[in-house]
Amino acid sequence: MNATRSRQYIEGLKAVTKCVDWTQLKERRILITGATGLIGSAIVDLLMWMNKEEELGATIYAASRNPESVYRRFDPYGE
């Protein structure tokens, strides 16, 4: 199951978005290494959520040792 389809996971993302001042990341380019790991993928999900819901406007670069796993994990974002 893809974590981004879990209602509990989405609710967790929403809760985190309220705890952070996002103004410094607006319209920035952000590189996340280890993007397919537990922490890296959660950060990418959070940033992508903010791009979609709060118009953060950040460009996210997700890097991992296995490019195929990046495509597979983040395919739901379609970018």
Side-chain angles (χ1 to χ4, degrees), residues 11-22:
E11 291 302 317
L13 288 178
K14 288 180 186 179
V16 171
T17 61
K18 296 175 182 150
C19 302
V20 177
D21 177 18
W22 296 97

Side-chain angles (χ1 to χ4, degrees), residues 4 7 11-13 17-18 23 28 30 34 39 41-42 44-45 47 51 53-54 56 59 67 69 72:
T4 58
R7 187 173 52 93
E11 291 302 317
L13 288 178
T17 61
K18 296 175 182 150
T23 56
R28 298 289 183 145
I30 303 166
I39 296 170
S41 63
V44 172
D45 287 336
L47 291 168
N51 273 344
E53 299 298 322
E54 302 295 328
L56 183 63
T59 302
S69 63
R72 191 172 40 255

Side-chain angles (χ1 to χ4, degrees), residues 31-49:
L31 171 64
I32 306 298
T33 59
T36 56
L38 178 68
I39 296 170
S41 63
I43 292 170
V44 172
D45 287 336
L46 182 61
L47 291 168
M48 295 301 286
W49 174 265

Side-chain angles (χ1 to χ4, degrees), residues 1-11:
M1 182 173 121
N2 189 331
T4 58
R5 294 184 183 152
S6 165
R7 187 173 52 93
Q8 290 176 323
Y9 188 73
I10 298 298
E11 291 302 317

